[in-house]
Amino acid sequence: MRYEIKGSPFPVVICYLENGEQMITEGGGMSWMSPNMKMETTTNGGLGKAIGRMFSNDKMFQNRYTCEGSNGMISFASCFPGEIKAVEINPGEEYICAKSSFLASTPGVDMSVFFRKKLSTGFFGGEGFIMQRFTGQGLLFIEIDGTPIEYDLQAGEKIILDTGHLVMMSASCKMDVQTIKGAKNILFGGEGLFNTVIEGPGKVVLQSMPISNLAGTLSRYMPSTGGNGG
């Protein structure tokens, strides 16, 4: 399969398939395609995985598109200004991604639910208790809010993140939370009470503009819906 990623700030990945090749996406993920692409709606792994996807902010059912006959084409567009990143997953590799980052993949990529075991990281880490785990072999496309920034952390090396900036990390990385020190920093620093700490070894992909941050910024300029009665 060939692919190309086009457009900015609303990118799209266009996949060129040969006869028999397939792509997986969540319901409503397809943007446009050639007439010889056959769609099949599936739980893609059974009811358990479908329910797990629902908890990770994805749709329960996924669509499998198969190229039939001659070569075909199918595209998947991002729903937010940013970039689309292609991730090659090989046997033995495992990546943890933020909820709703999945855009599309080849059938060999297995998506499951990743539960964060520590209560502190679930409550205060900014990503909640449930994230997405990707294993198997194939090509994965993820959505990134804003610009992606990548780091390769060595063993014991750490990076501190504000809420929502994590997109993807190797499963070998550790995630924890760190309390911001100092009453003045907490009250007037504007950073909240906690930051997320990622520790290597492994790859970390961050995003420059989480949609939650953008929504918070825009909300300050929205007119109030309240009014005086009477």
Side-chain angles (χ1 to χ4, degrees):
M1 185 197 75
R2 295 187 301 108
Y3 71 89
E4 56 181 341
I5 298 173
K6 291 186 171 185
S8 179
F10 289 94
V12 58
V13 56
I14 305 172
C15 302
Y16 301 96
L17 281 64
E18 297 181 1
N19 180 41
E21 290 187 319
Q22 297 178 327
M23 290 296 298
I24 304 289
T25 186
E26 67 175 7
M30 188 277 297
S31 298
W32 61 84
M33 64 183 182
S34 57
N36 62 325
M37 300 297 299
K38 178 184 177 181
M39 186 188 83
E40 176 192 5
T41 301
T42 173
T43 59
N44 198 22
L47 183 60
K49 285 196 173 182
I51 293 174
R53 286 192 294 270
M54 178 184 68
F55 282 114
S56 63
N57 277 14
D58 271 300
K59 297 181 179 178
M60 288 184 64
F61 294 93
Q62 293 185 324
N63 292 334
R64 178 186 294 114
Y65 291 89
T66 304
C67 181
E68 295 186 336
S70 58
N71 294 346
M73 173 273 295
I74 186 169
S75 68
F76 308 97
S78 174
C79 61
F80 186 81
E83 295 190 22
I84 295 172
K85 179 176 176 61
V87 182
E88 188 73 41
I89 298 181
N90 298 303
E93 294 179 340
E94 184 176 333
Y95 293 101
I96 308 302
C97 293
K99 293 182 293 185
S100 302
S101 60
F102 172 75
L103 180 62
S105 73
T106 54
V109 175
D110 181 57
M111 184 176 81
S112 58
V113 175
F114 174 76
F115 292 97
R116 293 175 44 189
K117 298 178 181 179
K118 293 185 67 174
L119 289 176
S120 58
T121 57
F123 279 122
F124 308 119
E127 300 296 339
F129 284 100
I130 299 175
M131 300 178 73
Q132 297 175 338
R133 184 200 311 268
F134 294 95
T135 56
Q137 184 172 15
L139 196 59
L140 166 69
F141 296 102
I142 60 174
E143 293 186 71
I144 295 172
D145 301 343
T147 301
I149 308 296
E150 300 187 24
Y151 293 93
D152 287 309
L153 301 182
Q154 302 302 310
E157 187 179 3
K158 297 179 181 180
I159 188 167
I160 299 175
L161 316 177
D162 190 22
T163 299
H165 284 277
L166 177 66
V167 179
M168 185 184 83
M169 68 179 185
S170 303
S172 54
C173 292
K174 299 177 183 178
M175 180 185 297
D176 208 340
V177 294
Q178 173 178 289
T179 305
I180 294 177
K181 298 179 180 179
K184 184 170 66 174
N185 294 335
I186 293 173
L187 293 174
F188 306 113
E191 299 295 341
L193 292 173
F194 303 94
N195 284 322
T196 299
V197 181
I198 307 295
E199 180 179 347
K203 175 180 289 187
V204 177
V205 180
L206 309 180
Q207 56 189 4
S208 64
M209 178 51 73
I211 189 171
S212 57
N213 289 14
L214 178 62
T217 300
L218 293 177
S219 67
R220 299 200 295 264
Y221 301 95
M222 297 295 181
S224 173
T225 56
N228 296 324

